[in-house]
Amino acid sequence: MERLQKVIAQAGVTSRRKAEKLIEEGQVKVNGQVIRELGTKVSPSDEIEVNGVPIDKEEPIYFLMYKPSGVISSVKDEKGRKVVTDYFPEVEQRIFPIGRLDYDTSGLLLLTNDGDFANILMHPKYNVDKRYIAKVKGIPSKLELRTLEKGIQLEDGKTAPAKAKLKSLDKKKQTAIIELIIHEGRNRQVRRMFEALGYPVQKLKREGYAFLDLHGLNPGESRTLTPHEIKQLRNLAVT
Ligand code: URA
């Protein structure tokens, strides 16, 4: 048995909060009866209607994908470019990416059809660490890396404290590989942070998301999250 608002959210109708509003407004029927009680438990055999339309119940599903670069983090693209869900032709559920990686960024991306789960992880207050490996043009000094760590002024405000580590450098080519761990998720944040220091990013990969990594996966491959991993990620919201 699951709470009614959760089942509606999981069916992809709307967020759990909006589902609660619909229930309170009397827009939801279970087996033909209007239900206004939040938290009413329903079983898979119950027929649920929202605004007179039966919902499609979907099993929640969770994937960890190694997104290749040159792919859009979306479910469709107006220009017909490849999107991440193209890599899941056999999945019937309406999965979508949790957050996004730029078209030209590769790395770890989670996908699900569970809107509540996605909202938890994307909420800035839950501080999920994201670990990036950036190849930059030029070789930042220790002091400059400390500037990244303390926070750097971008056009949409100063960045939150981060961790930055020089992994290797190529003096001849004048490039460096830097690990940057941030928990914010602003648009093109890593690229803009390095840009602000004067070191344009040539290549960017997300190698870690919370406690997850890309171990065992090649670009374009994915795996389902284990029940334990799902629970651990949910727990991030309460710790
Ligand atoms: N920061 C970026 O600049 N790009 C990404 O894809 C993710 C984080």
Side-chain angles (χ1 to χ4, degrees):
M1 300 281 274
E2 292 274 19
R3 289 158 79 87
L4 182 54
Q5 55 266 46
K6 183 173 177 191
V7 175
I8 294 171
Q10 269 172 0
V13 176
T14 184
S15 68
R16 193 185 297 202
R17 214 168 322 125
K18 288 199 187 122
E20 287 173 354
K21 205 156 164 260
L22 290 172
I23 294 168
E24 285 174 334
E25 286 169 1
Q27 318 256 34
V28 176
K29 282 185 186 170
V30 177
N31 302 324
Q33 279 205 326
V34 172
I35 298 289
R36 289 172 187 269
E37 189 80 14
L38 289 182
T40 299
K41 297 271 176 97
V42 288
S43 73
S45 61
D46 286 322
E47 284 301 320
I48 300 161
E49 280 173 43
V50 176
N51 292 326
V53 180
I55 66 165
D56 298 327
K57 275 171 269 176
E58 279 188 358
E59 277 295 306
I61 190 161
Y62 308 86
F63 291 102
L64 185 166
M65 174 191 197
Y66 185 162
K67 174 195 170 300
S69 76
V71 179
I72 307 268
S73 294
S74 180
V75 297
K76 59 173 188 284
D77 180 53
E78 282 155 16
K79 296 183 193 154
R81 289 170 297 181
K82 209 165 188 154
V83 295
V84 286
T85 46
D86 289 342
Y87 288 84
F88 299 84
E90 72 294 349
V91 174
E92 286 175 356
Q93 288 97 325
R94 285 167 292 186
I95 57 170
F96 55 87
I98 301 180
R100 57 189 293 279
L101 291 176
D102 298 333
Y103 180 72
D104 42 2
T105 300
S106 65
L108 199 161
L109 187 66
L110 299 180
L111 295 100
T112 184
N113 60 345
D114 183 339
D116 279 330
F117 183 78
N119 285 340
I120 287 173
L121 292 182
M122 285 194 294
H123 201 292
K125 122 176 165 216
Y126 298 125
N127 289 349
V128 178
D129 274 347
K130 292 142 203 143
R131 183 164 53 86
Y132 294 91
I133 300 291
K135 181 181 179 194
V136 301
K137 182 77 197 142
I139 301 172
S141 67
K142 271 199 176 135
L143 198 66
E144 286 170 317
L145 293 183
R146 293 294 85 79
T147 306
L148 283 184
E149 295 199 315
K150 280 191 260 162
I152 187 161
Q153 193 63 40
L154 300 179
E155 59 191 26
D156 51 356
K158 196 174 170 190
T159 58
K163 283 190 195 131
K165 200 188 216 166
L166 179 70
K167 302 289 278 183
S168 65
L169 54 88
D170 186 328
K171 273 201 176 143
K172 221 156 113 202
K173 291 194 183 136
Q174 280 296 299
T175 55
I177 306 285
I178 293 159
E179 180 186 83
L180 184 67
I181 303 176
I182 60 172
H183 59 253
E184 293 175 293
R186 302 192 215 166
N187 194 27
R188 296 180 77 81
Q189 181 166 345
V190 174
R191 291 175 195 276
R192 290 193 291 130
M193 286 172 78
F194 282 109
E195 188 76 42
L197 270 187
Y199 299 97
V201 170
Q202 294 184 332
K203 220 170 166 190
L204 186 60
K205 177 179 175 188
R206 180 155 76 189
E207 288 204 335
Y209 186 97
F211 52 87
L212 298 167
D213 61 31
L214 289 167
H215 186 78
L217 295 177
N218 290 312
E221 291 180 347
S222 60
R223 66 170 177 88
T224 51
L225 291 179
T226 66
H228 186 65
E229 287 169 336
I230 297 164
K231 238 189 244 171
Q232 272 181 285
L233 287 169
R234 281 191 199 286
N235 278 349
L236 293 176
V238 290
T239 51

